[in-house]
């Protein structure tokens, strides 16, 4: 199995600057992120960040099916199933620490990063993509945070970026795991630019000949190029979520998770995507539902760094709890589609379990992400 990240530096016409390209290449798993891939990506992005000759980074996925379908949860499942709790904790701490450090680096990068979100962008792929300064979708893009179906929760910075969408939208996406098409992604601000897939090479060539030395705002250079290509878009999918935003906002305004999920079932409409969203929220993990509701109602004011610190606690504890293991087994390993959740419904969930999942595993000074925001 190929699970690599390829790095390329393309010379600019001024003979000094370069355009950096990082390509996620794990085609058998739709470019899902392994620990090795994340480690290499973080190392290279750090080098490019400190290289004055690199003026812009393009982050893409190999092939045309996906930018990135998520993290390598199948390997995590093997650890959760076959290893001791201590070994599982050590592995998952290492994986999520590297992943969140990489996500945070992209969010705080001091150079333009173009996230080329062609095809599927889900889970861990959203973690990389949402930090990019210029988030590109193509007409076939499908974005989602589907963790409710595997017993995890919207991590990889979801506590941060879902809370910065229009009121109720982030909660709806997290509780339903619904796929967002390119038109809706632009409308709800998950994406910045819609570009045709075959214009990617044209974009890179334009980046190479741009006058980087004479422009004080390198971000504006990238924005103008992408806006120019957006004018050449010949097709876009019909909006799905946007017409329902009023109902979504109202549904998510309830003051408890039980009522929110009941409100979802009452949303009026017969569209197939809406039926799927309702089914996902009904059949998803009750623990995930509680975690997502808490993310959107109690942690919306956290800093970016604190969001990642919180998420590392929850993610590692989730790996030890059993809900995440069972969700991956049912959805991705055995594929029987019948996860046996720890609780039969959201009303039965012991809130002390949710409290424990959110409690830090480490003293603040010993937290693996203690340095985020304090370099």
């Amino acid at each position: 199995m190929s699970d690599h990240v390829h790095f390329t530096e393309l010379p600019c016409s001024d003979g000094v600057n370069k355009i950096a390209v990082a390509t996620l290449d794990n085609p058998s798993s739709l470019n899902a992120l392994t620990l090795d891939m994340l480690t290499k990506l973080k190392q290279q992005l750090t080098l490019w960040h400190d290289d004055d000759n690199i003026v812009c980074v393009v982050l893409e996925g190999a092939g045309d099916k996906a930018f990135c379908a998520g993290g390598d949860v199948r390997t995590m499942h093997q650890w959760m199933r076959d290893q001791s709790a201590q070994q599982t904790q050590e592995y998952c701490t290492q994986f999520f620490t590297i992943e969140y450090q990489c996500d945070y680096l992209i969010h705080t990068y001091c150079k333009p990063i173009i996230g080329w979100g062609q095809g599927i962008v889900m889970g861990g792929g959203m973690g990389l993509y949402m930090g990019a300064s210029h988030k590109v979708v193509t007409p076939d893009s499908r974005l989602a945070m589907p963790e409710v179906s595997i017993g995890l929760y919207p991590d990889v910075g979801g506590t941060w970026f879902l809370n910065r969408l229009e009121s109720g939208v982030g909660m709806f996406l997290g509780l339903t795991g619904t796929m967002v098409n390119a038109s809706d992604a632009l409308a709800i601000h998950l994406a910045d630019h819609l570009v045709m897939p075959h214009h990617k090479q044209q974009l890179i060539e334009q980046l190479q000949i741009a006058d980087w030395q004479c422009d004080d705002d390198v971000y504006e250079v990238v924005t103008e190029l992408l806006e120019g290509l957006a004018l050449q878009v010949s097709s876009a999918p019909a909006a799905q979520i946007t017409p329902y935003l009023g109902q979504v906002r109202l549904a998510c305004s309830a003051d408890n998770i039980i009522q929110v999920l009941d409100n979802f079932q009452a949303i009026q409409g017969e569209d197939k995507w809406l039926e799927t969203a309702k089914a996902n929220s009904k059949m998803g993990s009750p623990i995930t539902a509680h975690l997502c509701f808490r993310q959107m109602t109690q942690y919306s004011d956290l800093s970016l760094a604190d969001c990642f610190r919180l998420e590392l606690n929850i993610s590692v504890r989730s790996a030890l709890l059993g809900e995440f293991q069972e969700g991956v087994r049912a959805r991705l390993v055995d594929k029987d589609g019948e996860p046996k959740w720890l609780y039969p419904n959201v009303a039965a969930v012991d809130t002390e379990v949710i409290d424990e999942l959110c409690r830090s595993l480490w003293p603040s000074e010993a937290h693996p992400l203690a340095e985020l925001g304090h370099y």
Side-chain angles (χ1 to χ4, degrees), residues 145 147 152-159 162 174-175 288 292 295 311:
M145 293 296 287
E147 291 80 7
L152 192 56
Y153 69 101
D155 68 323
V156 294
T159 310
L162 290 180
L175 290 172
T288 299
C292 182
Q295 285 176 278
E311 290 178 4

Side-chain angles (χ1 to χ4, degrees), residues 34-314:
T34 64
L35 178 59
D36 184 59
M37 291 170 67
L38 285 163
T39 301
K40 291 177 179 176
L41 180 60
K42 176 178 173 289
Q43 291 172 344
Q44 190 60 54
L45 287 175
T46 300
L47 291 174
W48 282 339
H49 184 274
D50 297 334
D51 185 342
D52 291 339
N53 292 329
I54 299 296
V55 290
C56 178
V57 176
V58 177
L59 182 57
E60 63 176 8
D64 56 8
K65 293 182 179 180
F67 167 70
C68 174
D72 183 17
V73 295
R74 287 183 176 85
T75 296
M76 284 190 203
H77 175 268
Q78 293 173 3
W79 280 83
M80 291 184 285
R81 181 192 62 196
D82 300 335
Q83 305 300 324
S84 68
Q86 182 62 34
Q87 289 171 315
T88 297
Q89 179 172 331
E90 291 174 356
Y91 175 80
C92 290
T93 297
Q94 181 185 21
F95 184 97
F96 287 121
T97 295
I98 292 295
E99 182 175 29
Y100 298 168
Q101 286 174 335
C102 193
D103 295 337
Y104 184 84
L105 175 61
I106 294 173
H107 273 277
T108 58
Y109 220 65
C110 293
K111 298 176 183 180
I113 295 184
I114 300 171
W116 187 264
Q118 182 174 355
I120 294 172
V121 188
M122 294 197 306
M126 286 287 285
L128 301 178
Y129 178 81
M130 290 303 296
S133 61
H134 295 76
K135 294 176 282 292
V136 176
V137 285
T138 59
D140 65 341
S141 294
R142 289 173 291 163
L143 285 63
M145 293 296 287
E147 291 80 7
V148 67
S149 296
I150 60 169
L152 192 56
Y153 69 101
D155 68 323
V156 294
T159 310
W160 173 265
F161 63 75
L162 290 180
N163 268 310
R164 273 140 191 85
L165 303 180
E166 188 175 345
S167 177
V169 174
M171 185 182 295
F172 182 79
L173 297 182
L175 290 172
T176 65
T178 192
M179 287 279 192
V180 179
N181 69 26
S183 296
D184 283 322
L186 289 174
I188 64 177
H189 306 297
L190 281 178
D192 304 313
H193 306 277
L194 174 62
V195 178
M196 298 303 291
H198 58 272
H199 285 157
K200 179 167 65 172
Q201 185 56 41
Q202 182 179 344
L203 169 64
I204 291 176
E205 291 173 356
Q206 290 178 346
L207 291 170
Q208 288 181 269
I209 62 174
D211 191 355
W212 298 100
Q213 295 187 14
C214 294
D215 200 301
D216 293 332
D217 189 346
V218 292
Y219 291 89
E220 186 61 28
V221 171
V222 178
T223 299
E224 290 180 359
L225 292 178
L226 288 169
E227 287 178 346
L229 292 175
L231 297 175
Q232 303 177 48
V233 171
S234 57
S235 63
Q240 295 177 320
I241 295 175
T242 308
Y244 290 87
L245 287 181
Q247 292 191 72
V248 166
R249 285 194 297 270
L250 184 61
C252 293
S253 65
D255 59 6
N256 65 80
I257 182 59
I258 297 173
Q259 187 60 57
V260 168
L261 294 179
D262 286 345
N263 290 347
F264 285 175
Q265 301 304 315
I267 292 177
Q268 298 295 311
E270 299 180 354
D271 292 327
K272 184 177 180 180
W273 79 268
L274 181 59
E275 294 176 2
T276 300
K278 290 181 178 182
N280 288 350
S281 67
K282 189 174 183 178
M283 301 302 293
S285 161
I287 288 177
T288 299
H290 274 269
L291 286 171
C292 182
F293 184 79
R294 186 170 294 197
Q295 285 176 278
M296 299 299 106
T297 57
Q298 296 187 27
Y299 299 127
S300 60
D301 294 330
L302 291 182
S303 69
L304 176 62
D306 283 338
C307 285
F308 281 116
R309 280 188 277 269
L310 170 70
E311 290 178 4
L312 184 60
N313 299 323
I314 302 176

